[in-house]
Amino acid sequence: MWFKWSLLTTSLLLSSTVICAEFEANAKVGADSRYFFEQGQYPEQLENTQPGFYAQAEIYYAWNNSSDSITFIPYYRYDNQDAERTHGDIRELSYIHVSEDWELRAGIRRVFWGVTEFQHLVDVINQTDAVEDIDGEDKLGQLMLNLSTVNDWGIVDYYLLPGFRERTFAGQNGRLRGPAAVDTNNAVYESSAGKQHVDLAVRWSHSIGDFDLGSYWFHGTNREPLLQQSTQEPISLIPYYEQMDQLGIDIQATSGGWLWKFESIYRDTSNDNFAAAQAGFEYTSVGILDSDADLGWLMEYAWDSRGQASESSRGADLQNDLFVGSRIALNDVQSSELLIGFRTDMEHHSNTFLIEANRRFGDNYKVSFDLRLFDSNQPQDFVSMLNNDDHIQLSVERYF
């Protein structure tokens, strides 16, 4: 979580009209290191440690009583082992104008859709920054023009998305990858426009009583590439980006300490069409054992109509999978939190286990600890590619 300090707030008196302007700036720098318990599964993976550092800044300027604002968030990461993980990105560089019943947002932005915890099926606007982590939660900035209209019957967002961002992948020396590295320099596109294809999306969202509802249609370049084996040595995987139409819905219902969650998509491409869903709940006990801490229990189930992969079918990684977890928030001054999660594939009998913990120290430091374990004896299951990649990660961040 960002800790923001307002560096400057000014009021300008022009022609007897008060125009308020606000400027905020903050930044963080961090160092992290992964330690893998075993030697790499593939010959190029020579190291068991993967240190690096990263930096991110956020600059915010608003004027016209905050009706107009600009946000700029640059990001950079350096990795000591994997050249593909060393990269920079503009997470956001956008202008927003807020009116009474509409908003206009233009520039590079990040947009998140969805309600489930362990898989984000409906989140389709931004490309995944997969070298940051394998959980799919880190996103690259996307150039867009977004008009949002507010109506009694819901909010409607219209998106024009020029310019496509390719997914990042670990390099030859990187960990958390398959037996062949992905050749990101030779991506292939179904559309003759390639990266310049203009994508379109429209989304409706509304709250009715205890229900938060959302639905959308997306037309454009699939953010999830097909990985096709190259015909030349050394063997690599070539990303192929299809065109797709995707319909999605997300529903969340709140009832006391219960959160009921559901996401579903239907995707149509020239090679395939399928439906997928993720559903579950989160129950939170507030003030456990007469303390300030909250304890949450999570369970979700993933289904995909493609089923398991076969010689004639692409299949799905999460086609019959159960997720269970627990979240503890101490609600202390240090914002201490702990998440424990377990996933099991009920057809492949593969398992993954994770622990994510973080805590602030003083006003300027945050320490995070992650543990991830992988276990699979089924070669057709994607987890089997990560069997030697059990690891811990320690991160220390300094905020300014």
Side-chain angles (χ1 to χ4, degrees), residues 14-310:
L14 299 175
S15 302
S16 301
T17 301
V18 176
I19 302 177
C20 293
E22 181 180 0
F23 176 81
E24 294 183 2
N26 53 67
K28 68 175 180 179
V29 295
D32 58 17
S33 184
R34 291 171 174 169
Y35 175 74
F36 295 89
F37 302 136
E38 300 181 65
Q39 281 296 116
Q41 199 164 336
Y42 312 112
E44 302 87 356
Q45 299 173 326
L46 302 177
E47 302 293 336
N48 280 33
T49 59
Q50 189 176 13
F53 72 83
Y54 53 93
Q56 179 171 295
E58 180 171 346
I59 299 171
Y60 173 80
Y61 178 70
W63 69 97
N64 194 19
N65 294 318
S66 296
S67 294
D68 298 277
S69 64
I70 293 175
T71 301
F72 177 43
I73 304 178
Y75 177 82
Y76 180 79
R77 168 178 286 280
Y78 171 79
D79 189 278
N80 191 52
Q81 299 298 331
D82 186 359
E84 291 297 322
R85 200 166 184 241
T86 297
H87 69 296
D89 183 43
I90 297 177
R91 300 304 204 204
E92 294 196 28
L93 178 55
S94 62
Y95 162 77
I96 298 178
H97 175 76
V98 180
S99 188
E100 183 175 351
D101 55 4
W102 60 274
E103 291 186 18
L104 178 66
R105 309 162 185 140
I108 300 172
R109 301 186 67 244
R110 288 175 298 180
V111 175
F112 175 77
W113 296 343
V115 294
T116 54
E117 178 74 28
F118 295 103
Q119 182 185 198
H120 308 302
L121 273 177
V122 303
D123 192 29
V124 72
I125 293 293
N126 292 85
Q127 179 60 275
T128 298
D129 192 356
V131 295
E132 284 296 316
D133 208 335
I134 61 171
D135 57 11
E137 296 190 355
D138 296 283
K139 299 292 184 177
L140 299 171
Q142 169 66 48
L143 184 63
M144 68 180 68
L145 183 64
N146 170 211
L147 175 64
S148 181
T149 60
V150 181
N151 311 276
D152 293 338
W153 40 270
I155 297 173
V156 181
D157 282 286
Y158 305 91
Y159 292 89
L160 183 70
L161 307 167
F164 177 73
R165 303 296 308 277
E166 294 178 359
R167 182 165 295 197
T168 59
F169 292 93
Q172 285 281 356
N173 298 325
R175 302 294 290 258
L176 298 168
R177 66 165 177 85
V182 178
D183 183 359
T184 55
N185 295 320
N186 291 292
V188 178
Y189 291 84
E190 179 180 0
S191 169
S192 59
K195 287 184 179 181
Q196 306 309 315
H197 188 273
V198 178
D199 300 342
L200 304 172
V202 58
R203 174 176 168 85
W204 168 83
S205 58
H206 193 40
S207 295
I208 303 175
D210 295 332
F211 291 85
D212 296 317
L213 311 173
S215 65
Y216 70 84
W217 167 73
F218 173 91
H219 172 78
T221 306
N222 191 345
R223 272 56 178 157
E224 301 177 9
L226 291 172
L227 299 178
Q228 303 174 333
Q229 186 169 301
S230 66
T231 57
Q232 299 178 347
E233 296 288 343
I235 296 299
S236 63
L237 298 176
I238 306 299
Y240 175 68
Y241 291 96
E242 305 169 288
Q243 290 294 293
M244 74 172 187
D245 284 278
Q246 181 164 300
L247 302 175
I249 60 172
D250 52 273
I251 303 172
Q252 179 169 279
T254 306
S255 178
W258 294 86
L259 284 178
W260 299 93
K261 306 178 180 186
F262 176 79
E263 295 185 17
S264 183
I265 62 169
Y266 176 78
R267 181 180 298 173
D268 184 23
T269 71
S270 58
N271 292 312
D272 200 2
N273 58 79
F274 68 92
Q278 181 98 356
F281 67 85
E282 179 175 354
Y283 176 76
T284 302
S285 300
V286 178
I288 59 172
L289 301 176
D290 296 323
S291 69
D292 294 327
D294 298 338
L295 174 62
W297 300 99
L298 304 95
M299 180 177 290
E300 292 177 3
Y301 173 73
W303 169 83
D304 193 299
S305 65
R306 291 172 293 181
Q308 300 184 55
S310 66

Side-chain angles (χ1 to χ4, degrees), residues 326-365:
S326 180
R327 188 194 338 261
I328 300 174
L330 297 185
N331 296 319
D332 55 358
V333 176
Q334 294 79 25
S335 300
S336 305
E337 294 183 344
L338 173 69
L339 173 66
I340 300 174
F342 176 79
R343 165 201 162 268
T344 183
D345 186 317
M346 292 188 287
E347 292 185 31
H348 291 143
H349 307 291
S350 66
N351 305 298
T352 60
F353 177 78
L354 70 86
I355 294 177
E356 296 178 355
N358 60 78
R359 186 181 190 272
R360 284 173 40 202
F361 289 87
D363 293 331
N364 304 102
Y365 291 91

Side-chain angles (χ1 to χ4, degrees), residues 306-319:
R306 291 172 293 181
Q308 300 184 55
S310 66
E311 293 183 1
S312 61
S313 171
R314 288 166 52 188
D317 293 333
L318 302 175
Q319 84 293 345

